Amino acid sequence: MSGRRQYPFHLIEPKWQKVWDEQNAFRAFNPGEEIPANHPFAVRHKLSGKVAATQLPPKFYILDMFPYPSGAGLHVGHPEGYTATDILARYKRAQGFNVLHPMGWDAFGLPAEQYAVKTGQHPRKTTEENIATFKRQIQSLGFSYDWSRELATTDPDYFKWTQWIFLKLYNSYFDPSLNKAMPISLLEDALSEEPKRQTEWEKSEFLVSTRKWAVIPERSAERIARIRRNFANDNRLAYVSEQPVWWCEQLGTVLANEEVVDGKSEVGGFPVVRKPMRQWMLRITAYAEKLLQDLDTIDWTDSLKEMQRNWIGRSEGAEVNFAVADTKLPISIRVFTTRPDTLFGATYMVLSPEHNIVEMITSSQQKKAVEDYKTFASGKSDLERAELAKEKTGVFTGAFAINPVNGEKIPIWIADYVLASYGTGAIMAVPAHDERDWEFAKKFNLPIVEVVWDPEVLAKLKTATYGAIPIPLESPFCGEGVARRSPPHGWGLKDPSGERCDINRLPTAEAKKKITAWLEEKSLGKKTINYKLRDWLFSRQRYWGEPFPIVWKIGPDGESYHEALPESALPVLPPTLEDYKPTATGEPPLARAKDWVNLPDGSVRETNTMPQWAGSCWYYLRYLDAKNNSAFVGKDVENYWMGVASSLRLDKSAHSADATKPGVDLYVGGTEHAVLHLLYARFWHKVLFDLGYVSTPEPFFKLVNQGMVLGEDNQKMSKSRGNVIPVDVPVAEVGTDALRLYEMFMGPLEMVKPWSTKGVEGVYRFLGRVWRLFVDEKSETEFEQAETTAETQRRGELLNLIKLNPAIQNVVATPAQLKTLHACIKKVTEDLDGLRFNTAISAMMVFVNDAITWETKPVSVLREFLILLQPFAPHIAEELWQKLSANSQLPTANLAYAPWPKFDAALLVENEIEIPVQVNGKLRDVIKVSVNAPQADLEAAAKNSEKVKPFIEGKTIKKIIVVPKKMVNLIVA
RNA sequence: GCCGGUGUGGCGAAAUGGCAGACGCACAGGACUUAAAAUCCUGGGACCGUAAAACGUCGUGUGAGUUCGAGUCUCACCACCGGCACCA
């Protein structure tokens, strides 16, 4: 930055940061907490001592997505969201809310662990160093965080409660009839009361052994205990499952679906493969419907909601059973379809290569081909599968199934275009009405049977014969239409004795309903809702994460089983290691600590750790009561900050009703968390809500995604491009206030926008103009001379040399000055309510551009302007406020708690206004008229305009449109 | 392919269906200065004109439509950004 310094921000900013820090100025008080009488919050609200929730002002909880403290520090893109929330926090504080605005650290994570693997240095050390850097940088920006609530997910005092919540999940199940989570003990008790009840567990045993329904007659105590245990384990929200998971060799860990992008790890971009492993899972699928439906109750952007909807992937359809033909075993294959109306067109069946029935049904002739194909398919990474997607592959199993609606025998194939992880892992193929089935059928010469009329084709036909064999299709018709070729015209009737379902002539929606009802009646299928969402893979083979509060034991029957540690054993701390790599046998690093793993009673600790997402699932709750060591959050405290009652405004006349909703009032962060963090956190919150630990079903009422800040070259900021601007650079050159202002002035919060150093200078100049509006230039010159000779430590005091601008006087404001001020108050207030920071700033620029021309500047007007400026540029505003107050013998209480001004609409009323006159919709003149001029006067004035006359002379005025106070439009022939 | 978002000067952008381009950047001219920086003032959509203006015409991705009047509403299309993607 070249040129003279606009104003002494280098002294002002540290000065006020120190003042705020010493005063604990932004400390937020919980109900029942001791409020010091001299605290600015106490002074503003005339409170002190211990204050009950009902006596505290209404709350406003404004939250940032807490950062992962990386080694690189902050660049200018980071503070965008933090600045927006800080401005809002300061604004709400000025309005009189009890504002909760905290910050913390999402500190578990891979980089610190990888550094530990390389160097042997404990990841805690790296993490603490990085936190220190991040904290210093964030604090240099003057954000009004309540640092007394700071937390890190890596603190044992914090992850103790992460583990505690895991135990809640472990000890709960989802009850479909109550539609909520309940303690698992209820299920266990129910089982004890009814020892002879046929449990789900018994049914599954029944299928594989006797193939008969039977009550197992005698049970030993051991056996009952085992049934109980297994039944409970099968229903827990946190459960163990052996299933194919994403394994990343390079990272030495498994990954969640959400962490795998394009067949590569989201972190590092390493290849991943499917591998069956024993893993901890969280039953998020039980909440799929709630997670979907409750999106309608919260104020998030459409695109974000849509991303979550897509991820949950709800689809309605039917499950249909296809009996396997020519076998003595009563085997049937279930498929999921959204188009049961096309069942008559199902000409073959496809299973995913991993489907567990494949082995059982494959004919001996096809065994080799099937085995080869399975090897081929499992060898493909997901990336390869996606790349090769265009070319369909598959093999015939040699087996056939019976189409339940027409008795037709159809071949069963396996192909990797059918995914094991979706639906039932098997499909009925309807090539006439599905793109993929069509391609497959074409390639392997399978029959194509058209059973839905394309409405466009139907419209062209004089008479439609619903049983006629159609002209061969050129492409599949996948839309909705009219059903055809079901009985009595059904295709391939092989079993004339059976009762048929006739859906001919029915539109798709009705056909679906009718055939589904028919299937249900015949026990051949049922209506189903299917979700794309999978259960959350919750264990990682890492060191730097929360250990599970779980031990493994061996039962008397030799079966290994897990058991939760008691709450008293929390926190479970990770052991100190010499080497942070996984073991040679592929066990997680924790397995190296033999003393830690093996407990005296012979049980063995779980050696997996939780994923990084665990800590961020509930941090917003811990902020409420960060020091509580007897609960994850106190009940009353939670109710005050998250509940509905305390968010009702005292001043109901003010502004919109955006604070009357519960939960976090405003949450700001990047889109990168659209499906991971935000889905997981909602899930945990809903479980905690069901179990009665929190007051609301949703955690984040309003959520805004800030847009990315690009580099000056319009590219995303990255090290490799060399376009990264660390925050320290503008802070040193133009100060934090200018940086904050520019972050917001660039454009709308949600938009992607490029950084511009020149643009920063522009807002910096604006702050310089504000400064010169307030101070005496002569005294500033003296200050500058004194500063060059003063010792560094004493320079701060020199700010006192700067005197107020003599034009600032205790005089009554003129109507014009009041109008300028109140126009600014109105615009800034409304724009802040709508999160339109950029236009709020331009309104303040307009004010300053005007005020700087005033010969005398009334103190009262400038004071109110500083209150408006304070949220945006708090340091300069406080400094000027202090000077102004001292000079005018006004109280010098913190500007941060000064009440927000109200605009007076009466002051904005104009007597005379300029309105446009149009002829045939084209602007021809602007006329000055009295604001209340009657319509006739407006018409006359318009017609008399010299500029308008040439356009209406000699023509007939057919119509005159007058919009009072807006415009006149003359319509001529 | 599907879903969501965005298209306005040289640039970032602003405009409850009613004067398009507020505010800022960059640029140009002027004042101050020995000079520069900083600051202050003035001017900037394009075209046609003109010494300079007035006037005039065109102009918000493209094409249609609704309306007295469209950047704004409707329909169709194009481009870019983001997400999902063999989801049965």
Side-chain angles (χ1 to χ4, degrees), chain A residues 5-7 762-775 780 848 852 876:
Chain A
R5 183 181 283 133
Q6 290 279 350
Y7 69 101
V763 293
Y764 178 46
R765 272 202 285 270
F766 163 67
L767 290 180
R769 270 204 308 288
V770 172
W771 182 253
R772 290 189 293 278
L773 175 66
F774 280 84
V775 307
E780 199 185 1
V848 170
I852 214 153
I876 187 175

Side-chain angles (χ1 to χ4, degrees), chain A residues 796-815:
Chain A
E797 299 165 26
L798 295 177
L799 285 172
N800 296 332
L801 292 175
I802 300 172
K803 300 281 177 277
L804 216 56
N805 187 334
I808 299 174
Q809 292 165 23
N810 239 325
V811 292
V812 176
T814 66

Side-chain angles (χ1 to χ4, degrees), chain A residues 842-855:
Chain A
S842 69
M844 291 190 291
M845 288 173 169
V846 170
F847 172 87
V848 170
N849 289 346
D850 190 23
I852 214 153
T853 66
W854 299 344
E855 276 185 29

